[in-house]
Amino acid sequence: MTNLIFLPILIPLIAGTMFVFFRKRLPLVRAGTQIVTILNLAVTAFVTYYVFENGTLVLQTGGWDAPYGIILVGDALAMSLILTTNIIAVAAAFYAPYSLDKGREEFYFYTFFLILIGGVSGAFLTGDIFNLFVFFEVLLMASYGLITLGGTRQQLRESIKYVLLNLFSSILFVTTVAFLYSVTGTINMAQLSVRIGHVNQTGILTTIGILFFIVFATKGALFPLYFWMPNAYTKPPAVISALFGALLTKVGIYSIIRIFTLIFNGNIDYTHTFFIVLAGFTLIFGVAGALSTNNIKLIIAYNIIPAIGFMIMGVGVFTDLSLSGSIYYLIHDMVIKAALFLLVGAVAIVAGTSDLRKISGLIKEFPFLGWMFFIAGLVLAGLPPFSGFIGKLQLLQGAFENGHYVIAIVALITSLLILISVMRIFILGFWGEGMDLPQNTRSIRPLYFPISFLLIFSIVLGVGAEWFLPYIQQIGVDLTDPSVYIDAVLKE
Amino acid sequence: MRSNDIILKTTSAIIVFVILAFSVNLFLAGHNAPGGGFIGGLMAAGAFILLYISFGLKTINKILRVNFRYFIGAGLLIAFLTGVGSFVFNQPFLSHTFGYFHLPLLGKTELATAVFFDLGVYLTVIGVTMTIILTIAEDRG
């Protein structure tokens, strides 16, 4: 039964490898990818249901007991994030055939895509730090493939920065794991938590914790380490941007949440205050970037940064309420960022440009696209019936209750500015005089289906918050108490 | 002037088999001695590269009609399926087992399922190394 939690990693990896053999037979590979992602979504939904009903599933691979072997821990947090990942994967699998050119699709796009999904699931599931590194590399290797796919000049220029920075942070990751191993003698997260709990988090352990934070802040694009992100994410085609924007930075945030709730929770005064300050700057600088540009893809890419600020703020405040707010916001943001990148990709196909000054009056020709964008903008900014609201509400409530007034006010102002930055696209791009549309050979009608699929999920997540909220609040409570995780893994 | 590299060609034709044999030896020795799939695969790729260097791309492509990219796919599939095998016996993923068998020539031999995983690594390493080197070699841009 515990083998079940390996399936979300195994299914995409095996399928991706099989498609290496049929790369020229596109109809087969496209249909195969769509079937595999739907199958994987169904399997993940079942496993998630099982985990929520019966408690954490732990797989000790190879039958070796917990601190000695590699373990995979499917707890409620990991499984709900994997479920979200697979929802995005389904949308991307149905978006890709209608938006990519044949050359990119034939050059192993679907293989890279499925390996990326497998790597992300692995990073969410793993129970030891070195395996977290390995799965990070799996998903980064796939993302290097995707970011250079097609080989346009801009993509190559941005990919050099992207690869260099990620190599740097990966080297720092390995070095930090080496430090941690030499101090504690283990890399199993549960055992690390026990051992660090015994010795109190002394100076060197806090240093190692901050080094981990720098690693994940680079991967997750936090202030001041976000500079590589917006351009690198917008140069590839829309579906690749959507995958990156929805999944890659969020794996870094997940790692921060996991490591700083489970392992480095002994010196909260220092580390978590540091997080709150950084979260404030991340919010301000991210939204300033989003307001500063007229490129619609860049506006969405810059909006990733304040969202990350919100999540880190929840970790910094560190109560069960604010942590559950972070997780709600994380799930909401993965879905809505994917939807927005796909929407902006559709707008760019229709208008033939991504310069906001040249686009206007699209709502006459494409009313459905326009209203979908309007709803997505409201969801992103967190207006009450939608999903962004509940996460932010919990975050702000947590911040006010614990006396972090400055960050809460910054967060409120940022929300307003996010709304302005997205509504600028709607007002300038969709209203106004009609523009001369370029003659498109391909219709964007098939693109509506994956976008509306994500939007419907996003609306359900907000309107049906009553169903999801108890589970997510339970995750928040479990995160503040590491013994839940430790007991599940070490079975003491 | 045509250069005459008969010495290179003759010696490499012999040495290639020595290297390949050594690579198989390393691959099989990995369980109890230094070696294994990774180093064995690199060694085998080294043998192929020696062939390409001494006889040229065209000649060897005529003889070795294989697409090394398929080696990557095949190797990864073998490694994954080794893990899936443990699903069938209801064991945790990647569980391995071993047993002693009497083989005709070798006598009592220990055979372990971990070899299949190593075979996957071996093929993947050959595939990756050869793909990298041949892609760069064929690039005329």
Side-chain angles (χ1 to χ4, degrees):
Chain A
M1 205 58 202
T2 53
N3 269 334
L4 269 182
I5 59 166
F6 207 81
L7 288 178
I9 308 176
L10 197 65
I11 293 172
L13 286 186
I14 286 188
T17 327
M18 298 241 265
F19 295 151
V20 170
F21 296 100
F22 319 106
R23 72 158 172 146
K24 293 281 184 189
R25 298 167 72 181
L26 273 184
L28 180 75
V29 175
R30 282 172 185 161
T33 310
Q34 289 165 353
I35 291 167
V36 164
T37 47
I38 289 174
L39 173 76
N40 201 18
L41 178 61
V43 170
T44 318
F46 173 70
V47 181
T48 314
Y49 171 75
Y50 188 88
V51 166
F52 275 115
E53 289 291 309
N54 302 326
T56 307
L57 271 178
V58 178
L59 168 64
Q60 299 173 335
T61 54
W64 301 98
D65 281 347
Y68 307 111
I70 293 168
I71 53 158
L72 295 164
V73 186
D75 64 346
L77 171 61
M79 285 320 298
S80 40
L81 291 178
I82 292 175
L83 187 62
T84 320
T85 305
N86 280 302
I87 288 168
I88 293 160
V90 171
F94 280 88
Y95 192 92
Y98 307 105
S99 67
L100 284 179
D101 49 301
K102 200 159 167 272
R104 283 196 170 97
E105 278 187 283
E106 276 187 352
F107 214 84
Y108 305 113
F109 169 78
Y110 294 100
T111 300
F112 287 134
F113 163 56
L114 288 169
I115 290 178
L116 181 78
I117 298 298
V120 170
S121 307
F124 286 144
L125 274 177
T126 180
D128 75 58
I129 288 197
F130 195 77
N131 247 1
L132 181 65
F133 168 74
V134 172
F135 277 116
F136 254 111
E137 288 306 299
V138 171
L139 70 93
L140 283 174
M141 287 292 164
S143 77
Y144 298 156
L146 286 174
I147 201 172
T148 49
L149 194 64
T152 63
R153 191 200 275 184
Q154 290 175 318
Q155 266 178 291
L156 292 179
R157 190 184 62 216
E158 293 306 324
S159 66
I160 286 177
K161 295 178 204 165
Y162 179 75
V163 173
L164 274 180
L165 211 89
N166 274 307
L167 278 182
F168 163 75
S169 72
S170 295
I171 292 166
L172 188 61
F173 196 168
V174 179
T175 320
T176 316
V177 173
F179 289 152
L180 188 61
Y181 187 69
S182 74
V183 175
T184 60
T186 179
I187 48 168
N188 181 295
M189 290 193 200
Q191 207 185 10
L192 273 173
S193 175
V194 174
R195 290 199 172 168
I196 292 179
H198 283 321
V199 296
N200 295 326
Q201 194 176 325
T202 49
I204 188 157
L205 284 167
T206 306
T207 312
I208 292 171
I210 293 295
L211 279 175
F212 269 121
F213 181 76
I214 293 172
V215 170
F216 297 128
T218 320
K219 312 250 188 217
L222 239 82
F223 174 84
L225 298 162
Y226 66 84
F227 51 87
W228 55 275
M229 197 271 284
N231 273 318
Y233 277 19
T234 47
K235 295 304 179 221
V239 61
I240 298 174
S241 304
L243 285 172
F244 283 13
L247 303 178
L248 294 192
T249 49
K250 308 306 185 289
V251 183
I253 300 307
Y254 163 79
S255 310
I256 290 177
I257 293 177
R258 180 65 91 202
I259 283 185
F260 284 92
T261 54
L262 183 63
I263 302 174
F264 298 105
N265 50 13
N267 198 353
I268 290 176
D269 287 342
Y270 179 73
T271 49
H272 290 59
T273 314
F274 178 59
F275 296 168
I276 291 186
V277 175
L278 278 190
F281 281 111
T282 310
L283 287 168
I284 296 166
F285 278 81
V287 85
L291 288 170
S292 71
T293 172
N294 276 318
N295 184 329
I296 52 175
K297 287 182 178 174
L298 264 183
I299 292 176
I300 305 301
Y302 269 113
N303 264 317
I304 296 174
I305 299 168
I308 285 161
F310 279 117
M311 295 164 209
I312 292 302
M313 172 185 143
V315 184
V317 174
F318 204 67
T319 60
D320 47 359
L321 191 65
S322 75
L323 280 169
S324 88
S326 276
I327 289 151
Y328 210 101
Y329 202 79
L330 180 58
I331 294 172
H332 140 83
D333 195 64
M334 285 166 80
V335 179
I336 196 64
K337 282 289 144 51
L340 275 169
F341 270 114
L342 297 183
L343 271 168
V344 162
V347 171
I349 290 177
V350 166
T353 171
S354 52
D355 190 343
L356 193 53
R357 285 165 298 191
K358 293 180 189 156
I359 308 173
S360 68
L362 286 181
I363 199 126
K364 291 189 191 96
E365 292 281 328
F366 304 97
F368 192 54
L369 187 67
W371 293 115
M372 279 203 297
F373 192 90
F374 182 69
I375 292 173
L378 296 187
V379 174
L380 178 73
L383 262 75
F386 297 117
S387 58
F389 174 70
I390 295 121
K392 263 180 205 168
L393 179 71
Q394 288 187 318
L395 283 172
L396 292 173
Q397 220 177 330
F400 275 120
E401 278 172 11
N402 289 280
H404 301 287
Y405 297 112
V406 180
I407 185 79
I409 289 164
V410 170
L412 278 172
I413 296 171
T414 309
S415 299
L416 180 68
L417 296 178
I418 289 175
L419 184 63
I420 293 173
S421 73
V422 189
M423 281 306 133
R424 257 181 79 223
I425 303 183
F426 183 71
I427 291 169
L428 296 177
F430 285 94
W431 290 356
E433 297 287 311
M435 62 182 283
D436 298 331
L437 293 171
Q439 294 298 315
N440 272 314
T441 47
R442 60 171 65 182
S443 150
I444 63 156
R445 200 159 292 275
L447 303 182
Y448 289 166
F449 167 66
I451 299 171
S452 48
F453 173 70
L454 286 178
L455 272 182
I456 286 168
F457 180 76
S458 190
I459 291 168
V460 169
L461 192 63
V463 177
E466 294 251 323
W467 303 329
F468 304 104
L469 207 54
Y471 294 108
I472 289 173
Q473 273 174 336
Q474 186 57 42
I475 296 175
V477 173
D478 288 352
L479 279 179
T480 46
D481 181 13
S483 63
V484 177
Y485 184 94
I486 295 166
D487 288 346
V489 174
L490 296 179
K491 298 198 178 77
E492 280 169 319
Chain B
M1 196 187 87
R2 274 189 64 204
S3 61
N4 190 345
D5 46 6
I6 186 158
I7 296 178
L8 176 68
K9 282 182 179 169
T10 324
T11 46
S12 50
I14 301 166
I15 287 173
V16 160
F17 289 101
V18 179
I19 301 177
L20 280 177
F22 187 46
S23 116
V24 174
N25 178 35
L26 276 176
F27 167 62
L28 292 175
H31 203 63
N32 298 315
F38 184 76
I39 187 107
L42 274 184
M43 196 65 103
F48 291 130
I49 290 164
L50 181 62
L51 278 183
Y52 276 101
I53 289 176
S54 41
F55 293 94
L57 273 179
K58 269 187 197 163
T59 325
I60 299 300
N61 278 341
K62 250 183 240 164
I63 302 165
L64 285 176
R65 291 175 179 279
V66 287
N67 186 344
F68 282 104
R69 280 182 200 166
Y70 292 152
F71 273 56
I72 307 176
L76 287 175
L77 270 186
I78 290 173
F80 290 142
L81 293 179
T82 319
V84 177
S86 53
F87 276 48
V88 181
F89 299 102
N90 208 12
Q91 294 292 318
F93 187 76
L94 272 180
S95 293
H96 286 291
T97 183
F98 63 94
Y100 293 96
F101 297 92
H102 283 280
L103 297 180
L105 280 173
L106 301 166
K108 189 185 170 195
T109 318
E110 184 191 352
L111 295 180
T113 52
V115 173
F116 292 115
F117 189 84
D118 249 15
L119 182 67
V121 176
Y122 186 80
L123 290 179
T124 312
V125 170
I126 295 179
V128 170
T129 319
M130 294 312 292
T131 308
I132 292 173
I133 289 174
L134 293 183
T135 315
I136 296 172
E138 282 161 4
D139 194 14
R140 299 248 181 268

